[in-house]
Amino acid sequence: MVLGGGAAAVRGDDAVVMQLATAAEGEETVITVNCPDQAGLGCDLCRTILEFGLRITRGADVSTDGHWCFVVFWVVPRSPSIKIRWASLKNRLMSMCPSSYFIPFYHDISQPGPPQFYLLKLLSPDRKGLLHDVTHILSELELIIHRVKVSTTPDGRVVDLFFITDGMELLHTKERQEETCSTLTATLDPSINCEILSAEGFQQGFSSLPPKIADELFRVELAASEICSSSLSAELKKVQTATINFDNYLSPAHTLLQIICADQKGLIYDILRTLKDCSIQIFYSRFRSDERGSANKGCREVDLFIKQVDGKKVIDPEKQDVLRSRLRSEMLHPLRVMIVSRGPDTELLVANPVELSGKGRPRVFYDATLALKALGICIFSAEIGRQAASERQWEVYRFLLDDSNEFPLANSLTNRNRVVDRVRKTLMGCYN
């Protein structure tokens, strides 16, 4: 089945065409984008694809002359439980494509208008995994969570307050609100009370971590003990051996940037957002993964023909070192996870860098709550905020965890390490 293009096109010059996979297991959907180029478009397309719960498999081929681009993604759902709204994804990708008028390449990125925030209020019976189940439904409905407040009533019910935005920008309509509430009640529990209100004046909160904890969470490199002792050591050591090389001889007009590293969830996005924030133009790229070969299984090979924003090659060794260091840091340590004591309670911290455009990493809240649900841990409260550190903005997720007899956390270093390991592995795509 094809969405867009040919006779099935909404209009003859569709910029996005999807060749949907068949029912056969392992079949990929091919997404083709053919439209005018603009700064960071590949990164933005990749982020949106990840937001819909898709995994980029074979990679992404990008070709552009600086004015017009042609991009191909091969994707599959990350989990059979994720229902992909393909038509909605196509519309979202279409909306990101610039018009066919001339657009100067890599001028200042235009900032979109402020999003409309809404408050989703849920009153429901308490149970383990409830927060993730709500998050899963909101994700399928293309509703993005920006802040959560959780409280428990004396009668054992939970009051969840979600500050959200709508990827479809339709939540101001009665029909969209009714769809959201009816989906939540039908999927979770008919006794749930659901209400959606406008949250005018809402602002993304700023996290204020103690200096000692912030220094450890935002440090550039992993501690040696974290690499050696963690059960993630095999994956991390493979990432540690990543190679990043520059070649200025193969092409007279472009620098060839070659990367060989371990594959992990969001890797292509991490590379594209790093180049976008460093004002590096990509004119041709190919991302390849070796799933069959024994020697390089699980590795990703990347070739990118690039230029600086001034149209010149990246020749200066110092600029190469800066870019190499930045890319290595993003591939080695794209997400920060740690568990700390907050008075008598236990708090899980997850942090990821924010793009210069102000956008955060997709599905972090989803994956963190999924990992905690798998461990059977209840979440007492959850907050999402921003914090400046290491000369950049970070998105910080703070989860106050319930300390139960089945899974004690306050005095069990083993269980704390299990939480950090499970959350980090889920974020890296080891489980989904």
Side-chain angles (χ1 to χ4, degrees), residues 28 30 56-61 74-75 268 287-289 300:
E28 301 162 317
V30 182
I56 300 173
T57 54
R58 277 190 266 173
D61 287 354
W74 289 265
V75 302
I268 297 176
F287 296 79
R288 302 182 301 276
S289 60
R300 182 80 73 168

Side-chain angles (χ1 to χ4, degrees), residues 297-414:
K297 186 176 180 180
C299 286
R300 182 80 73 168
E301 297 181 12
V302 184
D303 293 333
L304 303 114
F305 287 86
I306 61 175
K307 286 183 181 182
Q308 299 179 103
V309 68
D310 58 7
K312 297 179 181 179
K313 300 168 72 172
V314 186
I315 298 176
D316 187 343
E318 290 187 4
K319 292 183 178 180
Q320 291 182 7
D321 289 342
V322 169
L323 185 56
R324 181 185 290 110
S325 176
R326 179 73 178 270
L327 284 166
R328 189 181 297 277
S329 174
E330 300 301 337
M331 291 186 294
L332 168 67
H333 211 181
L335 292 139
R336 317 297 167 91
V337 184
M338 65 184 295
I339 199 166
V340 299
S341 295
R342 183 174 168 183
D345 302 314
T346 302
E347 185 174 41
L348 172 70
L349 303 175
V350 180
N352 60 266
V354 175
E355 296 177 28
L356 290 181
S357 65
K359 295 184 180 296
R361 190 182 188 86
R363 297 178 74 86
V364 174
F365 191 86
Y366 180 98
D367 287 338
T369 55
L370 175 63
L372 294 172
K373 179 183 178 181
L375 292 172
I377 298 175
C378 288
I379 300 170
F380 185 73
S381 69
E383 301 175 9
I384 307 173
R386 297 283 174 98
Q387 180 156 337
S390 303
E391 300 181 347
R392 65 196 307 185
Q393 283 284 328
W394 295 80
E395 201 162 45
V396 182
Y397 300 78
R398 305 177 67 168
F399 300 92
L400 200 60
L401 307 181
D402 182 41
D403 199 344
S404 64
N405 293 329
E406 297 83 6
F407 203 101
L409 293 168
N411 300 310
S412 175
L413 181 60
T414 299

Side-chain angles (χ1 to χ4, degrees), residues 154-367:
D155 61 354
R157 292 170 69 82
V158 174
V159 179
D160 290 336
L161 303 179
F162 294 86
F163 292 89
I164 58 178
T165 54
D166 185 7
M168 298 176 68
E169 299 183 352
L170 294 173
L171 202 54
H172 61 282
T173 65
K174 182 179 179 181
E175 293 78 7
R176 178 70 162 154
Q177 293 182 12
E178 290 178 346
E179 177 197 18
T180 300
C181 288
S182 63
T183 302
L184 286 165
T185 54
T187 307
L188 299 176
D189 191 324
S191 66
I192 287 178
N193 292 327
C194 173
E195 185 180 8
I196 299 175
L197 305 170
S198 175
E200 293 184 8
F202 172 84
Q203 293 182 345
Q204 183 75 53
F206 285 89
S207 184
S208 180
L209 298 173
K212 184 177 180 180
I213 292 176
D215 289 344
E216 183 178 356
L217 184 65
F218 300 122
R219 67 178 184 266
V220 176
E221 301 293 340
L222 285 172
S225 59
E226 194 172 352
I227 295 173
C228 297
S229 63
S230 170
S231 58
L232 271 178
S233 58
E235 289 95 333
L236 292 175
K237 286 178 179 177
K238 187 178 287 187
V239 176
Q240 288 268 6
T241 61
T243 60
I244 303 172
N245 295 315
F246 295 86
D247 184 336
N248 279 298
Y249 297 100
L250 185 63
S251 169
H254 307 91
T255 294
L256 172 59
L257 172 60
Q258 294 182 303
I259 302 172
I260 302 177
C261 60
D263 198 5
Q264 63 189 33
K265 184 176 182 178
L267 176 66
I268 297 176
Y269 167 70
D270 289 329
I271 293 173
L272 294 180
R273 70 174 170 81
T274 301
L275 296 178
K276 173 185 176 181
D277 286 351
C278 292
S279 296
I280 296 294
Q281 307 174 25
I282 300 173
F283 286 84
Y284 174 81
S285 71
R286 173 160 292 182
F287 296 79
R288 302 182 301 276
S289 60
D290 190 340
E291 298 291 342
R292 297 181 295 271
S294 57
N296 295 319
K297 186 176 180 180
C299 286
R300 182 80 73 168
E301 297 181 12
V302 184
D303 293 333
L304 303 114
F305 287 86
I306 61 175
K307 286 183 181 182
Q308 299 179 103
V309 68
D310 58 7
K312 297 179 181 179
K313 300 168 72 172
V314 186
I315 298 176
D316 187 343
E318 290 187 4
K319 292 183 178 180
Q320 291 182 7
D321 289 342
V322 169
L323 185 56
R324 181 185 290 110
S325 176
R326 179 73 178 270
L327 284 166
R328 189 181 297 277
S329 174
E330 300 301 337
M331 291 186 294
L332 168 67
H333 211 181
L335 292 139
R336 317 297 167 91
V337 184
M338 65 184 295
I339 199 166
V340 299
S341 295
R342 183 174 168 183
D345 302 314
T346 302
E347 185 174 41
L348 172 70
L349 303 175
V350 180
N352 60 266
V354 175
E355 296 177 28
L356 290 181
S357 65
K359 295 184 180 296
R361 190 182 188 86
R363 297 178 74 86
V364 174
F365 191 86
Y366 180 98
D367 287 338

Side-chain angles (χ1 to χ4, degrees), residues 48-225:
T48 299
I49 288 172
L50 296 180
E51 282 180 0
F52 274 75
L54 292 166
R55 178 169 64 91
I56 300 173
T57 54
R58 277 190 266 173
D61 287 354
V62 179
S63 180
T64 179
D65 61 1
H67 303 298
W68 200 274
C69 71
F70 183 80
V71 187
V72 183
F73 295 98
W74 289 265
V75 302
V76 296
R78 282 211 157 268
S79 167
S81 65
I82 298 176
K83 299 177 182 178
I84 308 298
R85 295 186 173 196
W86 294 107
S88 184
L89 172 59
K90 179 180 181 295
N91 291 335
R92 284 279 297 278
L93 295 176
M94 284 282 295
S95 70
M96 299 168 66
C97 293
S99 69
S100 58
Y101 296 104
F102 174 77
I103 298 174
F105 200 86
Y106 268 93
H107 282 192
D108 291 339
I109 300 175
S110 58
Q111 297 296 326
Q116 174 63 53
F117 289 90
Y118 297 88
L119 172 61
L120 169 64
K121 299 171 63 176
L122 289 179
L123 177 63
S124 65
D126 194 10
R127 62 173 173 81
K128 292 180 179 179
L130 176 63
L131 185 56
H132 174 73
D133 293 342
V134 175
T135 303
H136 179 85
I137 295 170
L138 296 182
S139 176
E140 290 191 341
L141 291 171
E142 301 177 53
L143 299 172
I144 302 169
I145 299 171
H146 295 270
R147 188 186 298 172
V148 180
K149 293 183 179 180
V150 182
S151 59
T152 304
T153 62
D155 61 354
R157 292 170 69 82
V158 174
V159 179
D160 290 336
L161 303 179
F162 294 86
F163 292 89
I164 58 178
T165 54
D166 185 7
M168 298 176 68
E169 299 183 352
L170 294 173
L171 202 54
H172 61 282
T173 65
K174 182 179 179 181
E175 293 78 7
R176 178 70 162 154
Q177 293 182 12
E178 290 178 346
E179 177 197 18
T180 300
C181 288
S182 63
T183 302
L184 286 165
T185 54
T187 307
L188 299 176
D189 191 324
S191 66
I192 287 178
N193 292 327
C194 173
E195 185 180 8
I196 299 175
L197 305 170
S198 175
E200 293 184 8
F202 172 84
Q203 293 182 345
Q204 183 75 53
F206 285 89
S207 184
S208 180
L209 298 173
K212 184 177 180 180
I213 292 176
D215 289 344
E216 183 178 356
L217 184 65
F218 300 122
R219 67 178 184 266
V220 176
E221 301 293 340
L222 285 172
S225 59

